[in-house]
Amino acid sequence: MADRNDLDFTYSLIDRIFRLSLGELADFSGAKYDGDFSLTLEQAQRRKHEYVAEQIGIEAGRTVLDLGCGWGPLLNYVRERGASGVGVTLSSAQAAACRRHGLDVRIEDARKVTRREFGGFDAVASLGAFEHFVSPTDYYAGRQEQIYRDLFANIRGLLPEGGRLYLQTMSFGRNMIPFEQVSIDAPRDSDAWYLALMMYQFPGSWLPNGGEQIAAAAAPHFRLVSDVSGRLDYIETIKQWRERFAQPSWRKTLVKAQLVPRYLTSRDFRLAFTSGVSANSVCFERELMDHHRMVFEALPAA
Ligand SMILES: C[S@@+](CC[C@H](N)C(=O)[O-])C[C@H]1O[C@@H](n2cnc3c(N)ncnc32)[C@H](O)[C@@H]1O
């Protein structure tokens, strides 16, 4: 699993730049354009929230758990709908930002959340976090499937029979290359180089091998209701993010200036944040990666 240090590297370091670029309470996962790229980023993120609400039932009086809640966009939407939300993240900066906005967010490992600690929920959502639940070390040690199976068993324990889970995640795609070829020393612009860059941006994280692997791990506890690809919408989301991040502001310049020592001393930092290319976007375009919007329904308890 990506641990707290990994996630602080990915999310806490860019916390202020993220919020200055995208806004407080902004989403950091693929939006839902449904191919209509005339929508603004905010409209497409709103459309995603509405879709999640429709799929898992977010409405007044209901309780919702957000596993890997980021800067709290879905929790904020849950609150607007009159429902009650709890979030978990492993990024301390995200938790602090959420709490400043009155959201109930705890620093906990989403994989370990149980009914004993958190109580039950009417619905569970997890957007853009599943990607972090298995590390390369877990993968090479053969633990990937077991981690996913344990996670689904835990989530099932939080829900009533028929309760729903919305899971949004990237996966390796149909053109994925053999893992041993992935290397930052591969020729620039090759598949192997872009995939290696992804691993610098998201250290400690390893993707699922397509929707089938996820559905199989969930099968003892959940019926798969739907699995829709958000790959093309994600490419547009990244394009919009990059435009926002590139918009100049003196505050962002100040924050970036504070990161200069890190830039000078850390190759990992330079590769993760200043490569000048969007590895994510290219991996989606080349179908080295895919993207899933999955809805599950809890089966009767075994
Ligand atoms: C790409 S962000 C997505 C945030 C948010 N769901 C959204 O859509 O904007 C991934 C989130 O997953 C969280 N995360 C990753 N692994 C986690 C774990 N094991 N336990 C709790 N949170 C985790 C990160 O801290 C971060 O908040």
Side-chain angles (χ1 to χ4, degrees), residues 70-83:
W71 283 272
L74 187 69
L75 290 174
N76 187 47
Y77 178 80
V78 164
R79 179 168 60 186
E80 281 172 19
R81 297 276 293 231

Side-chain angles (χ1 to χ4, degrees), residues 153-223:
N154 277 350
I155 298 175
R156 174 65 187 88
L158 300 164
L159 288 169
E161 181 181 333
R164 285 194 166 192
L165 160 69
Y166 177 78
L167 180 67
Q168 181 168 307
T169 182
M170 300 173 189
S171 72
F172 290 123
R174 66 190 178 109
N175 294 333
M176 182 57 193
I177 59 172
F179 298 129
E180 338 44 278
Q181 291 175 13
V182 175
S183 164
I184 204 67
D185 299 320
R188 198 182 159 92
D189 291 333
S190 64
D191 292 351
W193 183 78
Y194 276 113
L195 284 159
L197 211 51
M198 281 294 296
M199 292 183 185
Y200 275 92
Q201 283 170 3
F202 300 99
S205 299
W206 189 265
L207 297 181
N209 199 18
E212 301 75 18
Q213 184 183 34
I214 304 171
H221 304 286
F222 289 94
R223 176 177 78 82

